[in-house]
Amino acid sequence: MANFQDTFLSGANIDFIEGLYARYLEDPTSVDASWREVFERNDGAGRPIFNTKLLEVPAPAVQPGKNGKAAAKEAPAAAAAPAPAAPAPSQALELQSKVDQTLFAFRLRGHLRARLDPLDRPRPALEHIADVGMVDDGHFSAREREQEVESSGAFEQQRVKLGDLLNRLHRTYTGSIGVEVMQILDSQRRRWLMQRMEHSENRTAFSVDDQRHILTKLSYAEGFENFLHTKYVGAKRFSLDGGEALIPMMDAIAEVGAGLGLKEVVIGMAHRGRLNVLTNILGKQPSQIFSEFDGPKDPKAYLGRGDVKYHMGFSSDHVTRQGKNVHLSLAFNPSHLEAVNPVVEGRVRAKQERFGDTERVGVMPLLIHGDAAFMGQGVVAETLNLSGLKGYNTGGTLHIVINNQVGFTTDPHDSRSSIYATAIAQMLDIPIFHVNGDDPEACVHVARLAAEYRQTFHSDVVIDLICYRRYGHNEGDDPSFTQPAMYDLIRKHPTVRTLYAKTLAEQSRIPAEESEAIKQRCLQEFDAALARARQESQFKEPSALEGLWKTYQGGAQKSAPQVKTAVEKATLRDALQKLCALPEGFHVHRDVERTVIKKRLGMLDSEELQWSEGESLAYATLLAEGYPVRLSGQDCERGTFSHRHAVLHDVQTGTEYTPLQQFSTGRARFQVVNSALSEMGVLGFEYGYSLDVPDGLTLWEAQFGDFANGAQIIIDQFIAAGESKWRRLSGVTLLLPHSYEGQGPEHSSARLERFLDLSAEDNIQVCYPTTPAQIFHLLRRQVLRPVRKPLVIMSPKSLLRRPEATSKLDELATGSFQEVILDKVAPAGVTRLLLCSGKVYYDLVKARDERKDDSIAIVRLEQLYPFPGDELASLLSKLPKLTEMYWVQEEPRNAGAWHYMFPRMHDLVSSRSQPQVKLGYIGRAEAASPATGFPKTHEIEQQLIIEEAIFRGTKHGR
């Protein structure tokens, strides 16, 4: 007889047995009679055996045998009779143990046996994975299959025939749907899903009308692609051929969601199937899409702007079959496949806040991915990580992966290290569904279940739609070059619509003639749409400046009306007083009390402000005037340089207090969020947020300006080019700490040159303010004037507390943002003009003033783009003796603003009637790295710049 460790009462089943025993203690009749017999046994002394040792069975004695091996101790001959048959309860328990292990294996590993590939290719061998063998039920005899066993929740009945249980598990977990659900830590969600899947056997009993609707959606999806394939031969369209089930799935998501409070869906997707989704889900007229293939009648009208048709967004009101309205928005997207993900999340968060959707059920993000991109693009992980953070939570995203089983020309085994393309999503406590794209009813069932799960639990959920790509990546290449065997199968494989229509006819649900009539109706509609498109061009630019954006404008910034950014002095003093106040009994850190609270109290007397106060007063006054403010970034609550302290912490209780919340009015509230250690994901989120908050200030702060490198795709493709490509405006503001202080290559430069290279057609603003008053007026201007342009601010580090870099309170109560700050020297005697931006100004002024040389004028460009040419031209006209003009910068010659400034300086002096003015550069030499890593070397470099600027060619010079 075996030890306890080898029986059905071993540790592998202890959770099940303990649960059953707990039920027995509450009500003995609630468990099967065989289990009652076990629980009622005692150890001979009257003690329940479950309170001592679980049915411990004595092991046979052993003694050394031949060759030193253990052997069973021989018993007397009289005791050698055959052992009696095991009692029935023990047999039942052993069978139940095996059943429970099998049931657990189906739930955990059943997806590995599911029939998921429409091409029916064998799956890789998975024998190395524990428990996968239990999913094959050949280890049960025919007699055992007839016995009743515990269903463990798979049936509503407590006990069922084993054969029925096994059949249900097969249909639930190894059919066209594979489910990864057992990894979910939240048992409530896990049980909810298991009950819905197992009690329905992972199918929906669709009515004939439902099936007709699915068939119609498939017919329009297939017909649209076929139509384009024949009418626009060779044109790129990134077709949905092979994945047409996406269309009825999206339709089902809207249908189920609308019944559970969903009012709006914001969709983000890359190229594959985008045009199909536009016409068959969002309702964009096919004639308009056909016109985009033909292009505008006047191509010259779109020189340098616009975008390809499969990047375009759209919005519409979708009416469900139940008559409910769901607003659908498809976000514009560049060819960086997953870059739109955080943008969509930011838009959804902004909409939820605007609508007061605190439960986050009214607006939902729907992201559609490619299989290779979902695993390959880092922004996917960044976005998934944001999903549960309080500053970025959107109540759950529904993800659909269009799994073509090939990435352009790369096979899965070369593009990921995991079994599934969705493995990255296992970082979250969420379900992952895999579904065969050739089973449209299974696809729709999963879509409905996923939508219900998201609306119920406000959690992400992933659907892996396993399909294929009938043509090449973009219809212009031959996929058989790299996947010959796969495409040999695809060429012979019927379409999903054909297969479904055949199934419905065989089941006597929808006759073949009716299916064919639906198909022909689709083609007739597309023919008529093409005729309309070619008779009268339907080409339209994306709609813009509607709804929330009606009162705002893009285009030329100079045409924007001037606005008052100054604030009454009494209001400013009152705001500063409130920023100093603490709640009663709040215990602030003593250093914060000294450097923030007491410092600000002292400013009420001196009325001399530092950077933090200029920034904070901008936020406070905007909030008080009804404009919301959102600031996020790594450590931005305190500020990387401990200057902001927007959130104070009680040192005794840990309670948080945000002084700026005092100024919130209605919807205009202050949000400051310490972000995840992410640049691309978080900046994408804030850009998306800004798209739906034109009436507020949305800021992202880099920990150091250099870290914006990690978000370059968002900067290049969305922030800099969004208006030109898609007519989308944004007022997102970037705070990028920038200046040379000997902190090394990665902590010096925000790569000013990159932003200036991106500047064109009044697309962005690039500013480099140097005083608290300047940041105050600049931030207020960003919100108060009706023009909406992204704002890039080279923000300070050492200037945060530099004594010279202060402003009087009166400077905030009067004036406005100065794009150019003139020098104090008399212009008549100036022979050398030094143009500069940022911190270097203070070093130049100090050296010049020490030499008392009034022939040198030092002028700050606080706004580099749009270039303040008129202001500088006016300045030059007042300098009659000017012979030299230099651009001075801290950055290396191949970085910073020099390459941007030189042609503009040349144009300025070329227009003068006076003698030729010498132009030149003063700064660091060209360098591959932005800065030295040695503080003493930095000091030498900095001193050389100042000496050359002040002494070059003068009586003090070298």
Side-chain angles (χ1 to χ4, degrees):
M1 191 174 289
N3 273 322
F4 157 66
Q5 285 84 354
D6 300 319
T7 72
F8 60 89
L9 294 172
S10 64
N13 300 301
I14 196 66
D15 289 342
F16 167 75
I17 297 171
E18 286 181 350
L20 211 59
Y21 187 52
R23 281 170 49 192
Y24 164 80
L25 292 176
E26 291 182 7
D27 179 8
T29 63
S30 67
V31 301
D32 186 77
S34 61
W35 279 108
R36 286 202 300 273
E37 181 180 341
V38 173
F39 295 147
E40 287 166 0
R41 292 182 192 177
N42 61 63
D43 63 356
R47 294 188 297 269
I49 200 165
F50 261 67
N51 287 352
T52 55
K53 300 177 181 177
L54 278 173
L55 290 179
E56 182 173 322
V57 181
V62 296
Q63 64 181 19
K66 292 181 180 180
N67 302 322
K69 294 182 179 179
K73 184 177 180 181
E74 294 183 7
S90 296
Q91 292 178 346
L93 286 173
E94 290 192 32
L95 175 61
Q96 186 66 52
S97 171
K98 195 161 60 171
V99 168
D100 292 335
Q101 291 179 39
T102 300
L103 190 147
F104 183 80
F106 268 94
R107 289 169 171 171
L108 180 65
R109 309 292 192 197
H111 58 88
L112 298 175
R113 298 296 194 201
R115 301 184 301 276
L116 300 177
D117 186 357
L119 303 178
D120 202 27
R121 294 171 296 175
R123 297 183 71 170
L126 300 168
E127 285 75 13
H128 64 286
I129 298 178
D131 300 333
V132 73
M134 296 296 294
V135 178
D136 298 321
D137 54 19
H139 47 282
F140 291 106
S141 68
R143 183 180 62 83
E144 288 174 325
R145 290 169 182 264
E146 293 300 316
Q147 294 186 32
E148 287 196 346
V149 295
E150 293 278 340
S151 70
S152 298
F155 283 77
E156 292 182 1
Q157 303 95 316
Q158 183 178 327
R159 295 182 63 78
V160 296
K161 284 172 59 175
L162 173 57
D164 293 339
L165 176 60
L166 293 174
N167 288 337
R168 170 159 289 190
L169 293 175
H170 271 296
R171 287 192 289 264
T172 301
Y173 293 110
T174 68
S176 297
I177 301 170
V179 188
E180 294 180 82
V181 67
M182 292 300 286
Q183 80 282 358
I184 298 178
L185 298 176
D186 188 324
S187 58
Q188 179 190 4
R189 300 182 186 189
R190 188 173 64 249
R191 287 194 299 267
W192 184 93
L193 281 165
M194 286 164 53
Q195 183 184 76
R196 275 164 173 72
M197 292 187 299
E198 292 170 353
H199 289 191
S200 68
E201 297 185 350
N202 245 344
R203 305 293 293 189
T204 297
F206 291 108
S207 67
V208 172
D209 282 343
D210 291 333
Q211 292 172 322
R212 184 179 293 108
H213 183 72
I214 294 172
L215 178 62
T216 300
K217 287 293 180 184
L218 290 173
S219 299
Y220 273 91
E222 179 185 300
F224 178 77
E225 299 295 357
N226 286 344
F227 193 85
L228 291 177
H229 192 65
T230 57
K231 300 299 182 182
Y232 298 96
V233 179
K236 288 185 181 181
R237 70 178 192 277
F238 299 95
S239 72
L240 195 58
D241 289 293
E244 295 94 334
L246 175 70
I247 299 304
M249 289 174 72
M250 293 182 69
D251 179 77
I253 289 167
E255 191 78 32
V256 171
L260 295 172
L262 188 63
K263 304 296 183 185
E264 183 167 355
V265 180
V266 182
I267 305 166
M269 67 181 298
H271 306 52
R272 180 74 53 212
R274 189 182 188 94
L275 298 179
N276 212 311
V277 168
L278 279 167
T279 190
N280 287 316
I281 294 296
L282 280 89
K284 185 174 182 178
Q285 291 298 316
S287 56
Q288 189 174 345
I289 293 177
F290 300 154
S291 291
E292 291 170 2
F293 275 90
D294 294 332
K297 286 188 174 181
D298 181 11
K300 292 181 180 179
Y302 294 87
L303 293 175
R305 65 187 184 94
D307 201 355
V308 293
K309 51 196 165 293
Y310 40 81
H311 287 177
M312 292 301 184
F314 191 75
S315 63
S316 64
D317 289 324
H318 173 84
V319 181
T320 70
R321 296 169 69 198
Q322 301 301 318
K324 297 194 175 190
N325 187 74
V326 180
H327 187 72
L328 304 178
S329 300
L330 177 62
F332 294 81
N333 194 65
S335 286
H336 294 275
L337 301 181
E338 302 291 333
V340 77
N341 296 353
V343 176
V344 166
E345 302 293 343
R347 288 197 63 194
V348 169
R349 176 67 177 238
K351 289 175 181 288
Q352 290 171 342
E353 290 178 0
R354 183 175 294 278
F355 300 151
D357 183 14
T358 56
E359 296 298 317
R360 309 199 187 285
V361 297
V363 188
M364 180 184 79
L366 171 60
L367 295 178
I368 303 173
H369 315 267
D371 52 325
F374 195 66
M375 278 299 289
Q377 300 281 299
V379 70
V380 174
E382 291 187 36
T383 307
L384 290 171
N385 186 51
L386 294 178
S387 64
L389 306 182
K390 65 179 182 180
Y392 307 92
N393 178 29
T394 57
T397 301
L398 204 161
H399 302 265
I400 301 177
V401 178
I402 302 178
N403 191 339
N404 301 307
Q405 306 186 76
V406 61
F408 201 161
T409 67
T410 304
D411 289 314
H413 59 75
D414 287 324
S415 66
R416 64 175 187 262
S417 301
S418 57
I419 295 173
Y420 292 118
T422 53
I424 190 67
Q426 290 181 341
M427 65 188 288
L428 302 182
D429 196 31
I430 63 172
I432 302 172
F433 297 93
H434 309 277
V435 61
N436 189 318
D438 265 4
D439 188 342
E441 290 193 9
C443 292
V444 172
H445 168 79
V446 165
R448 291 164 59 95
L449 183 58
E452 185 183 2
Y453 177 88
R454 189 274 173 189
Q455 290 298 92
T456 302
F457 295 108
H458 318 302
S459 164
D460 282 46
V461 57
V462 175
I463 302 174
D464 181 16
L465 173 60
I466 301 176
C467 50
Y468 56 89
R469 192 185 64 196
R470 186 165 291 277
Y471 304 105
H473 176 67
N474 58 20
E475 294 77 40
D477 60 83
D478 187 346
S480 64
F481 291 165
T482 49
Q483 282 78 29
M486 180 182 189
Y487 274 86
D488 186 53
L489 292 173
I490 291 174
R491 277 190 292 270
K492 303 170 186 175
H493 192 72
T495 67
V496 60
R497 190 210 67 83
T498 300
L499 292 170
Y500 190 50
K502 181 181 178 182
T503 299
L504 292 175
E506 290 173 348
Q507 294 175 349
S508 300
R509 304 285 282 181
I510 298 177
E513 296 78 10
E514 183 179 350
S515 297
E516 182 63 22
I518 294 172
K519 174 182 175 180
Q520 293 304 320
R521 184 173 74 242
C522 300
L523 296 177
Q524 290 169 6
E525 290 183 14
F526 293 134
D527 269 325
L530 181 63
R532 288 195 302 273
R534 291 184 171 170
Q535 287 171 3
E536 182 177 349
S537 175
Q538 304 288 309
F539 185 85
K540 296 179 182 177
E541 288 195 84
S543 60
L545 301 180
E546 298 177 355
L548 293 173
W549 287 92
K550 282 184 178 179
T551 58
Y552 301 96
Q553 67 184 67
Q557 298 185 48
K558 288 290 185 182
S559 64
Q562 297 299 310
V563 293
K564 178 186 176 185
T565 56
V567 175
E568 294 291 333
K569 189 172 180 179
T571 302
L572 294 170
R573 287 186 59 86
D574 180 64
L576 188 58
Q577 179 74 56
K578 287 182 178 178
L579 290 173
C580 300
L582 295 174
E584 186 176 351
F586 192 90
H587 307 92
V588 71
H589 192 285
R590 62 183 182 182
D591 288 344
V592 174
E593 183 178 23
R594 175 178 56 83
T595 61
V596 179
I597 305 302
K598 290 184 177 179
K599 181 191 74 172
R600 288 177 175 174
L601 287 170
M603 289 177 182
L604 286 168
D605 296 326
S606 68
E607 295 190 347
E608 188 165 309
L609 308 177
Q610 291 185 331
W611 188 276
S612 175
E613 287 65 46
E615 178 191 355
S616 296
L617 287 172
Y619 301 151
T621 53
L622 287 171
L623 290 163
E625 293 167 25
Y627 302 101
V629 176
R630 176 183 167 92
L631 167 63
S632 82
Q634 295 157 21
D635 310 293
C636 68
E637 290 183 3
R638 191 200 75 182
T640 301
F641 311 102
S642 295
H643 74 286
R644 183 174 290 119
H645 289 286
V647 178
L648 305 178
H649 300 260
D650 190 305
V651 295
Q652 295 185 13
T653 66
T655 304
E656 296 181 356
Y657 173 61
T658 304
L660 281 164
Q661 291 288 15
Q662 301 173 82
F663 303 93
S664 298
T665 52
R667 198 183 67 82
R669 66 189 188 98
F670 178 68
Q671 296 182 65
V672 57
V673 181
N674 277 346
S675 76
L677 195 64
S678 155
E679 287 84 37
M680 184 174 176
V682 172
L683 180 55
F685 188 101
E686 301 309 333
Y687 171 79
Y689 189 92
S690 74
L691 295 177
D692 280 85
V693 187
D695 54 345
L697 181 61
T698 304
L699 308 101
W700 175 71
E701 181 175 67
Q703 192 174 68
F704 287 87
D706 317 57
F707 295 176
N709 293 341
Q712 201 63 47
I713 290 172
I714 301 298
I715 294 166
D716 291 353
Q717 302 299 332
F718 291 94
I719 292 174
E723 182 177 356
S724 177
K725 293 192 295 186
W726 312 316
R727 302 181 69 202
R728 284 300 175 269
L729 305 183
S730 166
V732 69
T733 298
L734 280 60
L735 303 178
L736 309 178
H738 172 90
S739 62
Y740 281 59
E741 285 130 341
Q743 296 189 41
E746 277 72 60
H747 292 162
S748 297
S749 176
R751 295 291 189 177
L752 172 62
E753 63 276 6
R754 293 182 183 171
F755 294 98
L756 295 175
D757 282 345
L758 291 169
S759 300
E761 300 180 306
D762 271 308
N763 61 333
I764 60 176
Q765 309 161 78
V766 182
C767 297
Y768 202 163
T770 55
T771 72
Q774 283 287 85
I775 191 64
F776 173 85
H777 289 297
L778 179 58
L779 291 175
R780 285 180 54 79
R781 184 185 78 168
Q782 179 69 352
V783 178
L784 297 178
R785 69 176 183 172
V787 68
R788 283 293 173 269
K789 302 284 181 176
L791 170 60
V792 179
I793 299 176
M794 300 289 113
S795 62
K797 293 181 288 184
S798 62
L799 293 192
L800 293 171
R801 299 179 180 87
R802 186 161 177 162
E804 307 98 296
T806 58
S807 298
K808 288 293 187 181
L809 198 63
D810 286 335
E811 296 177 64
L812 281 62
T814 60
S816 60
F817 177 70
Q818 301 175 70
E819 297 177 1
V820 178
I821 300 182
L822 305 180
D823 202 1
K824 61 184 180 181
V825 301
V830 171
T831 60
R832 176 182 297 178
L833 176 61
L834 302 179
L835 297 177
C836 65
S837 289
K839 178 180 72 70
V840 72
Y841 164 79
Y842 291 100
D843 297 331
L844 292 170
V845 167
K846 180 181 178 182
R848 192 270 314 270
D849 289 353
E850 285 177 353
R851 300 299 185 269
K852 299 180 180 180
D853 189 344
D854 291 340
S855 68
I856 301 176
I858 305 171
V859 173
R860 280 171 281 178
L861 271 66
E862 301 275 293
Q863 177 174 294
L864 289 156
Y865 189 84
F867 185 65
D870 292 343
E871 291 87 339
L872 287 174
S874 175
L875 167 65
L876 292 182
S877 68
K878 300 172 183 177
L879 304 176
K881 295 182 181 180
L882 185 67
T883 59
E884 298 175 291
M885 182 163 63
Y886 294 99
W887 175 254
V888 185
Q889 66 179 36
E890 296 181 305
E891 302 88 350
R893 186 185 184 102
N894 58 316
W898 166 239
H899 288 167
Y900 168 83
M901 286 298 301
F902 175 71
R904 289 162 177 80
M905 291 165 62
H906 181 271
D907 290 345
L908 285 171
V909 300
S910 296
S911 63
R912 286 167 52 91
S913 57
Q914 290 94 338
Q916 182 70 34
V917 174
K918 179 182 177 181
L919 300 179
Y921 163 83
I922 299 174
R924 284 172 169 81
E926 289 186 353
S929 176
T932 179
F934 303 100
K936 290 184 178 179
T937 303
H938 159 77
E939 292 172 7
I940 294 171
E941 292 176 346
Q942 199 77 1
Q943 186 59 34
L944 290 173
I945 292 172
I946 303 306
E947 288 179 0
E948 184 177 9
I950 300 301
F951 303 136
R952 181 177 184 176
T954 70
K955 60 184 179 180
H956 309 289
R958 295 167 291 160

